[in-house]
Amino acid sequence: MRPNPTSIFPATALAILCPAVLAAPGAAAPAGEFAWPLQPRPAVVRAFDKPEHDWLPGHRGVDLAGGSGQSVLAAGDGVVVFAGTVAGKPVVSVDHPGGLRTTYEPVAAAVPVGRRVIRGSPLGVLEPGHQPCSPCLHWGVRRDREYLDPLALVHHTPVRLKPLTQEPAHA
């Protein structure tokens, strides 16, 4: 079951989200607060695929095309809460205001735990080894224990207002 955006965001945040982000299942944060963790904007090699239940297989993040040794950037302002190895892979995790946590793997950390980072600051470098698309960055985001689609952090559609039409006056 996909979360209802009103259960994820406070009402004030919903008011500033653009319609495309509101409509996206698992939307994670207002557009503009986050940026791509690789520059230039990478191709998405594998999309987010949240399983119906936590115990089922899925893809709890996105894979972004990159190059070995490429700088991996903080997607948003926050604090580094983990920089180490998980299941033999180097991982960096950043906590952001509002309860979001982004994760980046495989990344050789250049920042220590406890370091405050701003959007676009280097976290480390991309290493080979993430299958099946090495070298690529596995980028994830979650709120508490719920995994969300990280593309909702960076994808937005501009709001376009259409002119009001007036009914012709009848005499």
Side-chain angles (χ1 to χ4, degrees):
M1 179 176 189
R2 301 270 184 198
N4 179 331
T6 58
S7 68
I8 297 173
F9 299 107
T12 54
L14 282 173
I16 62 172
L17 288 172
C18 66
V21 172
L22 269 177
E33 293 180 15
F34 291 85
W36 290 93
L38 296 175
Q39 291 297 324
R41 179 181 170 170
V44 176
V45 177
R46 186 172 175 200
F48 179 75
D49 180 20
K50 183 176 180 178
E52 186 175 342
H53 300 287
D54 289 342
W55 62 88
L56 292 174
H59 193 239
R60 293 164 177 85
V62 294
D63 292 342
L64 304 175
S68 291
Q70 183 175 358
S71 186
V72 176
L73 312 172
D77 299 353
V79 176
V80 176
V81 293
F82 183 82
T85 304
V86 175
K89 296 178 187 173
V91 176
V92 176
S93 296
V94 177
D95 277 359
H96 305 279
L100 293 178
R101 175 175 288 179
T102 53
T103 59
Y104 312 81
E105 100 174 50
V107 175
V111 290
V113 170
R115 168 79 45 92
R116 289 193 176 283
V117 294
I118 61 170
R119 180 181 63 204
S121 60
L123 297 175
V125 295
L126 185 60
E127 293 193 341
H130 183 72
Q131 298 302 323
C133 58
S134 183
C136 67
L137 175 69
H138 179 79
W139 181 36
V141 65
R142 66 179 200 193
R143 183 181 304 282
D144 298 318
R145 298 186 65 83
E146 181 179 7
Y147 287 90
L148 306 169
D149 185 353
L151 296 183
L153 296 173
V154 293
H155 281 180
H156 64 281
T157 301
V159 175
R160 291 187 175 85
L161 300 176
K162 295 185 178 185
L164 296 174
T165 57
Q166 292 183 333
E167 295 292 321
H170 296 290

